[in-house]
Amino acid sequence: MSEKGRGRAGLIGAILGGGFVGLVGLAILAGGVQLAMLGGSPYYLAAGVAIVATAGLLVLRRPLAGLVYAALLVATLVWAFWESGFQFWPLLPRLFAPAVLGLIVALTLLATPKGRPRGRALLAVLLASGVTLAVLGAAIPGTFSQGQAKTAKAPLFQPLPAAGGSDWRYYGRDPGGQRYAPFDQINAGNVKALKVAWTVRTGAKPMRGSEDQNTPLQVGDTVYLCTPTNVVIAVDADTGRERWRADPKVKPHFWNRCRGVGYYETAAARTLPPGQPAALCDRRIISSTIDARLIAYDAATGARCPAFGEGGVVDLKTGMGEVRGNFYFQTSTPTVAGDRIIIGGWVTDNQELQEPAGVVRAFDAVTGELVWAWDLGNPAITKLPPDGQTYTRGTPNVWSTPAFDEALGLVYLPTGNATPDYWGSHRSSASDRYNSSVVALDIATGRERWRFQTVHHDVWDYDVPSQPMLADVPVAGGGTKPALIQLTKRGQVFVLDRATGQPIHRVVEKPTPQNPAPGEWVSPTQPYSVDMPTVGLTRLSEKMMWGSTPIDQMLCRISFKKARYDGDFTPPGVDRPSIQYPGNGGGQNWGSGAFDARRGLLIVPEMRMPQTVQLVRTNDPKVATGRMKDRPAQSLGAIPYDAENGWMLGPLFTPCLQPPSGTLTAIDVTTRKIVWQVPAGTAETSGPLGIASGLKIPVGTFGLGGPVTTAGGLTFHASTTDPYLRAYDNGTGKLLWQAKLPVGVGGTPMTYVSPKTGKQYVVVSAGGARLTKQKGDYVIAYALP
């Protein structure tokens, strides 16, 4: 090429390279000006000026461009350390893209005239970019360390009596929801040898509104599954071979869920020798449906139990009054406590003020007859409402799974809120007394024994989603006390005396932010469990905002500065959005935790996804909410505001809060300290713009399902956006084993020992995780070869 041609090529290269750098600089400069005007970090303004200056010098083919940009990288390193310390995730958006841009600057410098100035500029920018990338790489091990070693303790704690020995007869394995299996056949020493033992395809079809959240049930030689449309399937515990299938023929709608089925056996069946067949329906499977029915099936054949209700079916809409558009039904596992089946219900949020009641009812497990009803709005109603009346409408419901203590004769209910989620000035005093609470009822009579409230006048959708967990915990002066451990969306862990509801570990009322929307009120204080660690919740700050690049991180910082944020319990915003953290997904959600009875460890899954909330006047034609098409015209018109809310995401749909977005945490209940905490899930199936990155980087992801822990020193967990079943060491949090699944998991694994072969199995239902498009119908069992 001639000298003239090389000169023209150099000019074109300088213009192209400098132009690209200039566009980046202008974007950062514009955002930096806005952020600075909001009182945010001045770094982006200064960086924008430096990048634009670099771009101008590149277009002019001046080697000084490299020195200017190298100086910016050095300043960026200092600023990044000052803001975030030596942690990989906070450093990533601050360092990676600027270092890569430095390489582009270096490449463009080749278009400048040869000579010593160009050589110095190239060396400076390459050295600065290399050091920046090296620092980022060096931060990886510290960020992803798998917790601290913990010496195994003597077994100070014992689990509740194991129902059925080797069985998994309840949603949380035992009545108290510990999710602890006293089996050690699979342990930390051999878990790496786990292989697929059998796979079942349920035939569930992917459809809008469906999500597989099933935890299978196992009794004897049979495993019982359910699909999101309440098809119940019984399979052989050793082979997965289907034994029977019962389809209630529900009509799918907007929220199809089945978290599990219940099991009941009559007194006659309980006295039979192991393996001896029972009479028809002396052993039965109890299923609730998304069209509000309660069905009893014979456990051996799947035939409906004719003496239960009407032909095996109880209509749960009885006494509820008008139920519009499937606004009332059941998603969680029926609670079988002795000879009672205890049922709450899920009420679609934000549709009408007088939604169906949050009544909790107990039915006779043999006949299906209503035994008692607990109507928090009218305690005088103890069974069916008087003629012409209904259970009190618009009251908080119990949509999650209760726990119960047979010795105390108490069932423990986690309550939700009266609708709508973010406005409460219209609520009754009864609704305010019982929202976001744990309520203990007498199993025999349904009468209230005690209640404990986790949020006062909840206008943040902080209903109690997790199943209460019953365990014995150490107390001052020695010994243990029967406790109820309640996980919450707030990240607070409350430990209560399960006989009285009084806190075992201190609960303190602390002042919280005020000045809600006109016409609303908020409680001046909220309860905090000060002696237990708060899992995940820290006060947000601008510097915690995140993104995959400096630009989307800057835009998240701008969003943060524009919103109102006064800490947790910031009231929903009116003139501008407010930030709610944790968001209404948690913290902890319905997946609940697990209790390692051998070590005294509480294993807690949690999410870290802040959201923005803004109240919008109901007469605003631009309002966009989650209202259903058949929401009645009067619906929420009696209140002044609807709410708009959503996750805080950047323009590339990456979280605005720095990772991890989900973790597993182990808390020692003796010392009440966090022993280890690890990110749960990787970025393999997520990334900017929703495109799967394929990167197995432990970013920690969104997940609603819970963990299971065993006497083998293992915690199994699968509810992440990437499709893996994982086993962690209970002592250290170290990842010991993982198996890739066909699709992700929305529920909780379980484990049992087969009475036929003596083999321990770990089973997971994989139908697809929330926030992912890949769906399936797999149930997979793992065992040692």
Side-chain angles (χ1 to χ4, degrees), residues 40-43 74-87 90-91 94-95 542-543 557:
S41 171
Y43 164 80
V74 172
T76 298
L77 273 170
V78 174
W79 166 76
F81 280 119
W82 176 72
E83 273 210 333
S84 61
F86 194 57
Q87 289 292 307
L91 290 176
R94 291 169 168 88
L95 300 183
E542 180 202 333
K543 67 183 181 180
R557 294 174 82 131

Side-chain angles (χ1 to χ4, degrees), residues 191-440:
V191 67
K192 288 184 179 180
L194 279 183
K195 302 294 182 185
V196 173
W198 51 258
T199 300
V200 167
R201 303 293 297 273
T202 66
K205 303 297 183 185
M207 63 181 74
R208 184 178 179 86
S210 285
E211 190 169 315
D212 179 6
Q213 298 178 344
N214 178 227
T215 297
L217 198 73
Q218 173 266 335
V219 181
D221 62 358
T222 307
V223 173
Y224 300 93
L225 321 169
C226 67
T227 72
T229 54
N230 305 115
V231 177
V232 180
I233 306 167
V235 303
D236 185 280
D238 284 296
T239 66
R241 180 179 59 83
E242 185 171 319
R243 289 185 165 159
W244 57 259
R245 174 182 293 246
D247 187 350
K249 305 295 184 183
V250 301
K251 182 181 179 181
H253 51 85
F254 60 90
W255 195 256
N256 307 311
R257 304 286 190 277
C258 178
R259 296 195 181 107
V261 296
Y263 174 77
Y264 172 74
E265 58 186 21
T266 64
R270 293 169 206 157
T271 61
L272 291 175
Q276 182 171 330
L280 179 70
C281 288
D282 270 3
R283 295 189 177 111
R284 57 184 65 181
I285 295 299
I286 308 298
S287 175
S288 55
T289 67
I290 56 174
D291 58 2
R293 287 181 287 163
L294 186 65
I295 305 176
Y297 300 103
D298 178 68
T301 67
R304 290 189 182 182
C305 299
F308 183 85
E310 296 291 332
V313 180
V314 171
D315 183 0
L316 295 174
K317 295 190 291 295
T318 302
M320 302 298 292
E322 184 178 15
V323 177
R324 301 175 185 265
N326 294 107
F327 286 179
Y328 168 80
F329 52 92
Q330 286 66 43
T331 56
S332 294
T333 303
T335 299
V336 180
D339 294 324
R340 306 280 189 265
I341 303 169
I342 299 172
I343 289 286
W346 187 83
V347 177
T348 312
D349 294 333
N350 308 317
Q351 306 306 312
E352 53 182 335
L353 292 184
Q354 295 301 310
E355 288 185 335
V359 63
V360 175
R361 291 168 286 179
F363 296 88
D364 187 286
V366 175
T367 66
E369 179 185 356
L370 178 65
V371 178
W372 55 255
W374 179 66
D375 181 349
L376 66 87
N378 186 359
I381 297 177
T382 59
K383 282 195 174 182
L384 283 173
D387 289 344
Q389 298 183 32
T390 69
Y391 296 115
T392 307
R393 295 178 71 88
T395 48
N397 53 38
V398 178
W399 61 264
S400 188
T401 307
F404 67 94
D405 185 322
E406 292 177 293
L408 291 174
L410 296 179
V411 60
Y412 304 97
L413 312 176
T415 70
N417 296 313
T419 197
D421 294 327
Y422 293 100
W423 186 267
S425 64
H426 63 288
R427 294 175 187 164
S428 67
S429 58
S431 291
D432 267 336
R433 279 197 304 274
Y434 287 99
N435 74 244
S436 304
S437 299
V438 183
V439 183

Side-chain angles (χ1 to χ4, degrees), residues 5 82 125 145 211 295 328 346 363 367 409 421-422 445 467 503 585 592 604 668 671 674 686 765 774 781:
W82 176 72
V125 75
S145 62
E211 190 169 315
I295 305 176
Y328 168 80
W346 187 83
F363 296 88
T367 66
D421 294 327
Y422 293 100
T445 65
Q467 182 185 26
S592 311
V604 178
D668 187 316
T671 64
I674 290 178
S686 57
S765 185
Q774 295 74 28

Side-chain angles (χ1 to χ4, degrees), residues 668-753:
D668 187 316
V669 296
T670 302
T671 64
R672 303 191 297 279
K673 303 291 185 183
I674 290 178
V675 178
W676 52 259
Q677 187 173 84
V678 295
T682 71
E684 182 174 340
T685 57
S686 57
L689 300 176
I691 300 171
S693 69
L695 299 174
K696 298 181 181 180
I697 302 173
V699 66
T701 69
F702 184 93
L704 295 171
V708 169
T709 186
T710 75
L714 299 171
T715 290
F716 291 95
H717 182 252
S719 184
T720 55
T721 57
D722 59 343
Y724 289 90
L725 172 63
R726 294 181 170 93
Y728 299 87
D729 185 290
N730 281 6
T732 65
K734 182 179 180 181
L735 180 63
L736 298 178
W737 170 84
Q738 62 182 8
K740 190 162 187 176
L741 304 167
V743 295
V745 172
T748 302
M750 54 85 78
T751 182
Y752 61 89
V753 173

Side-chain angles (χ1 to χ4, degrees), residues 26 93 131 155 159 163 239 242 312 363 514 631 650 707 717 723 733 781-782:
L26 288 172
V131 169
T239 66
E242 185 171 319
F363 296 88
Q514 299 296 294
R631 175 171 131 172
H717 182 252
Y782 294 85

